[in-house]
């Protein structure tokens, strides 16, 4: 059976990295996925914007440190000019400035280059579906930063809604501890699909936009 399934809705992806030795093999590997079409490869943020303008594009896999226009500025421009396009960062950098800068600019996912092919394709699919995926290392950095900036977890912040179920609160607590969906599923002995259902429900009830905000809300509520 061919990896390219004709009846599968394919995500149109731009791969951006200033190093051809990274960009070209990555584009080739991603192109093997049955639901991903790599429609362009870009060496800097300016080329990303041009590729998206030529479109259509669903997801940009974005390096951060690029010449001409870096990934954070390109992400900010895309968020303003093409909000329908999701950005997933793939970078070697996991410092606070890079993470917060990219997420603040509108990135929907953040992975380090230690991520494997399955992690990258999973993040692209999640971003294309309007969800966020953060590398475990990135989640831990956000958790540490949020804790450092929140001296009294219960003293401030929006309270959690009263209609959260015990399981939803448990899932939120595990997100706050930096666990991925798979890690939560293993911890609670439930499927990843069930975890996603709980996350969707608690995000809707709590008006949480993404995983980074979920970490912050868990800390403020004293769950993490």
């Amino acid at each position: 059976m061919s990896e390219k399934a004709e009846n599968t809705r394919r995500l149109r992806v731009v791969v951006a990295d200033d190093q051809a030795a990274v960009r070209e093999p990555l584009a080739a590997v991603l192109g093997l996925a049955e639901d991903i079409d790599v429609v362009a490869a870009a060496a800097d943020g300016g080329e990303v914007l041009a590729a998206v303008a030529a479109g259509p594009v669903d997801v940009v896999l974005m390096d951060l440190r690029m010449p001409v226009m870096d990934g954070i500025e390109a992400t900010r421009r895309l968020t303003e000019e093409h909000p329908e396009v999701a950005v997933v960062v793939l970078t070697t950098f996991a410092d606070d400035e890079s993470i917060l800068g990219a997420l603040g600019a509108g990135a929907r996912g953040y992975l380090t280059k230690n991520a494997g092919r399955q992690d990258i394709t999973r993040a692209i699919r999640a971003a294309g579906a309007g969800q966020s995926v953060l590398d475990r290392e990135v989640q831990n950095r956000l958790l540490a930063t949020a804790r450092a900036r929140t001296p009294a977890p219960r003293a401030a912040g929006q309270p959690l809604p009263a209609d959260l179920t015990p399981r939803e609160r448990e899932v939120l607590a595990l997100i706050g501890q930096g666990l991925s969906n798979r890690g939560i599923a293993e911890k609670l002995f439930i499927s990843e699909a069930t975890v996603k259902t709980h996350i969707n429900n608690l995000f809707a009830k709590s008006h949480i936009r993404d995983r980074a905000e979920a970490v912050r809300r868990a800390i403020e509520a004293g769950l993490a």
Side-chain angles (χ1 to χ4, degrees):
M1 181 177 174
S2 170
E3 277 203 78
K4 289 287 187 181
E6 294 300 326
N7 60 353
T8 301
R9 191 258 179 181
R10 297 177 186 170
L11 291 169
R12 296 157 298 203
V13 176
V14 172
V15 175
D17 195 294
D18 64 327
Q19 297 182 32
V22 174
R23 181 176 68 247
E24 293 172 5
L26 183 57
V29 168
L30 291 177
L32 296 175
E34 65 178 6
D35 55 348
I36 292 176
D37 279 331
V38 177
V39 297
D44 59 62
E47 291 186 9
V48 170
L49 295 179
V52 171
V57 173
D58 299 304
V59 180
V60 175
L61 188 63
M62 185 83 77
D63 188 22
L64 289 186
R65 306 294 170 88
M66 298 185 291
V68 183
M69 180 187 298
D70 67 23
I72 292 178
E73 176 61 17
T75 298
R76 186 188 65 77
R77 290 276 300 274
L78 285 176
T79 301
E80 292 176 353
E81 300 169 16
H82 302 278
E84 75 283 1
V85 177
V87 174
V88 174
V89 170
L90 180 64
T91 181
T92 57
F93 301 96
D95 57 283
D96 290 353
E97 182 179 359
S98 297
I99 295 169
L100 297 176
L103 296 178
R108 199 169 288 170
Y110 197 112
L111 303 176
T112 66
K113 288 184 177 176
N114 292 326
R117 174 189 167 188
Q118 289 186 340
D119 296 322
I120 296 170
T121 54
R122 189 181 302 118
I124 289 173
R125 289 167 183 147
Q131 302 169 359
S132 296
V133 173
L134 302 178
D135 186 279
R136 180 64 178 272
E137 181 180 356
V138 172
Q139 290 188 39
N140 289 340
R141 293 284 303 196
L142 286 172
L143 183 61
T145 300
R147 281 175 170 159
R149 295 180 179 181
T150 311
R154 295 180 181 274
Q158 186 178 350
L160 295 175
D163 61 343
L164 282 187
T165 66
R167 180 64 94 188
E168 288 163 359
R169 293 178 68 88
E170 193 172 16
V171 168
L172 180 59
L174 294 174
I175 291 174
Q177 293 170 27
L179 270 68
S180 64
N181 286 7
R182 179 176 297 179
I184 294 171
E186 293 173 352
K187 182 83 171 179
L188 300 181
F189 302 101
I190 57 179
S191 69
E192 284 191 65
T194 301
V195 172
K196 290 177 183 178
T197 298
H198 288 313
I199 290 175
N200 289 338
N201 289 340
L202 76 88
F203 275 29
K205 291 178 182 179
S206 307
H207 304 290
I208 294 174
R209 295 169 298 177
D210 53 38
R211 214 171 183 94
E213 184 177 353
V215 170
R216 178 179 61 79
R217 293 286 294 278
I219 293 169
E220 289 177 348
L223 298 176

